[in-house]
Amino acid sequence: MTLRSSGDAQLNADVSWAAFDPIAYVDHNYRDLQAEDAEILSIVRDHFGEHFRKRAVGPVSGIDVGAGANLYPALAMLPWCDEVTLYERSSANVRYLRSQVDSFDGNWDQFWRVLCKNDAYAALDIDPRARFREVVKVRPGDLFDLVRHEGEWSLGTMFFVAESMTSSHEEFRRGVECFLRALAPGAPFAAAFMEHSKGYHAGEHFFPACDVGESEVYASLERFADDFKTTRLKSSAAVRDGYSGMIVAYGRRNSDSGIPPVGR
């Protein structure tokens, strides 16, 4: 698969997502804990831990949008959720995720250990695999269809999705908006983005990306988030070719009263 010319962006609907190879993707990205993911996990765990430490709320519902073949965003939500939805379009990734629910593979233990450096995770009174099996459900779905589920979840993550599903800046912005609109006002969130990505392989197939930097990420969030930050990772080892860094954004969903939803 090749990208179209810059004047004719490759849209999400153009891509054969069933061709995504989750096993190859995990082997390349998540078989071993890389410095970038350890840094992301430390930021996210402390953001979520601080949010819920200050607020005496019962169990909440969480969503990981575009979960792909990455379990660590769901693991980051485990201490506070009685339900975590792994929302994913690719049929191949859906099969992978479902294969992990009953007992996830051992490579994910190293990611959990990073999370356990925060007491909220270390104090979890149940084995993480049992907790994962108890609360996680896999739900096939298109990110853009989340406009029909506004405010449904109270905790959310979206890692390497909005900029990694299209080469269109318009679709990138719509993707971020759809994610945030799926969250209830006040819900904490975390999202991660590849900086200036040129596209990527998952197995033999090449997938498009949207070229964004920290300013574009910030602009996509500011109408829908309160008390949010964007930060470029300090870790600099290249996970793959064709990008210049990683960006993490985290904060809380605002109420955005008066802003018409996309697609309406």
Side-chain angles (χ1 to χ4, degrees), residues 8-40:
D8 188 15
Q10 187 174 24
L11 303 180
N12 180 257
D14 298 333
V15 180
S16 177
W17 291 107
F20 196 100
D21 186 339
I23 303 305
Y25 192 78
V26 169
D27 282 343
H28 183 80
N29 293 282
Y30 303 125
R31 190 60 57 196
D32 299 305
L33 175 64
Q34 304 191 57
E36 288 85 352
D37 294 310
E39 187 176 350
I40 291 169

Side-chain angles (χ1 to χ4, degrees), residues 226-243:
D226 281 337
D227 301 327
F228 76 97
K229 296 180 181 179
T230 61
T231 183
R232 191 176 187 274
L233 296 189
K234 297 176 183 177
S235 304
S236 59
V239 173
R240 59 168 173 80
D241 294 333
Y243 76 102

